[in-house]
Amino acid sequence: MMHSPPPDLDRVFAALSDPTRRALIERLDAEEELSVSELAAPLAMSLPAVMKHLDVLEKAGLIARQKVGRRVGCRLTAGPMEDAMGWLARYQRFWTESLDRLAAALETKG
Amino acid sequence: MMHSPPPDLDRVFAALSDPTRRALIERLDAEEELSVSELAAPLAMSLPAVMKHLDVLEKAGLIARQKVGRRVGCRLTAGPMEDAMGWLARYQRFWTESLDRLAAALETKG
């Protein structure tokens, strides 16, 4: 197991702010491991453009790439996603209470 | 209750990618409602710079501003944070399993 760098929420959230990068994460979640060409195949963009998105995901620690022969395999890495979730979870209390208030308000009206 | 616009994860994650904006959210979570000047007071930046960050948070739907007389009050709004959390939660299975594997690996070594 490699030592993880400290969480960098700036990079993680910035990486997640792009729909192509979120779609790449969704595919890697469904398939576990895919090559760069497999990831690029369904996308309407050039291979270099896809590689740039993968660079951003890798620098944020969201994916890891491993070269085996001529194939570059990509996988999700868990830590940064968990850090982002941990940051948001601190506000779960806040929005759960907001939804409770909304539900209560709707019941009063109903 | 106002009608919420559809979630815009691009804007929400981009808004969360800045440490000043995350700090503003943390203060609004702790205090519930603060004026723009109260939010700006402890920050080492100009009021216009703070206002720009508040604009980004408001456009992402993360805060709402309301002017009462000369005071502009800011509050958190729950929806977009919940959407971001919902997106990340889809991968909770993935990283929970990764942590389980890590725990198992550490036990084997121990």
Side-chain angles (χ1 to χ4, degrees):
Chain A
M1 207 68 195
M2 285 198 298
H3 181 70
S4 310
D8 182 343
L9 286 175
D10 289 19
R11 281 193 179 181
V12 174
F13 284 127
L16 296 177
S17 71
D18 180 274
T20 302
R21 292 195 290 266
R22 289 198 304 278
L24 289 166
I25 288 177
E26 285 167 21
R27 283 196 62 211
L28 285 171
D29 183 59
E31 304 277 345
E32 189 160 349
E33 198 265 11
L34 286 169
S35 72
V36 173
S37 352
E38 285 162 347
L39 282 168
L43 298 174
M45 61 177 71
S46 68
L47 190 61
V50 175
M51 306 268 279
K52 273 189 199 171
H53 283 304
L54 293 173
D55 286 344
V56 175
L57 289 171
E58 191 172 44
K59 277 182 187 143
L62 290 162
I63 67 161
R65 281 184 285 198
Q66 197 173 18
K67 196 169 176 172
V68 179
R70 294 177 61 176
R71 179 190 162 93
V72 180
C74 304
R75 303 174 165 272
L76 290 187
T77 47
M81 201 104 72
E82 194 185 359
D83 296 331
M85 183 101 175
W87 191 86
L88 285 166
R90 294 159 60 182
Y91 306 104
Q92 187 156 19
R93 178 191 57 73
F94 162 73
W95 50 259
T96 307
E97 283 169 12
S98 299
L99 293 176
D100 287 350
R101 276 198 298 275
L102 172 60
L106 292 174
E107 264 177 39
T108 313
K109 283 184 189 173
Chain B
M1 206 70 195
M2 285 198 301
H3 181 70
S4 310
D8 182 344
L9 286 175
D10 289 19
R11 282 193 178 181
V12 174
F13 284 128
L16 296 176
S17 72
D18 180 274
T20 301
R21 291 195 291 265
R22 289 198 304 276
L24 289 168
I25 289 176
E26 286 168 20
R27 283 196 63 212
L28 286 172
D29 182 59
E31 303 277 346
E32 190 160 349
E33 199 265 8
L34 286 169
S35 72
V36 173
S37 351
E38 284 163 347
L39 283 167
L43 298 175
M45 60 177 69
S46 68
L47 190 61
V50 175
M51 304 270 278
K52 273 189 197 171
H53 282 305
L54 293 173
D55 286 344
V56 175
L57 290 171
E58 191 171 45
K59 277 181 187 143
L62 289 162
I63 67 161
R65 280 183 286 196
Q66 196 173 17
K67 196 166 178 177
V68 179
R70 294 179 60 176
R71 179 189 161 95
V72 180
C74 304
R75 305 176 162 271
L76 290 186
T77 45
M81 201 103 74
E82 194 185 0
D83 296 330
M85 183 104 174
W87 191 86
L88 285 165
R90 295 159 61 181
Y91 306 103
Q92 187 156 20
R93 179 190 56 75
F94 163 74
W95 53 258
T96 307
E97 283 169 12
S98 299
L99 292 176
D100 288 350
R101 278 198 297 274
L102 172 61
L106 292 174
E107 263 177 40
T108 313
K109 283 183 189 173

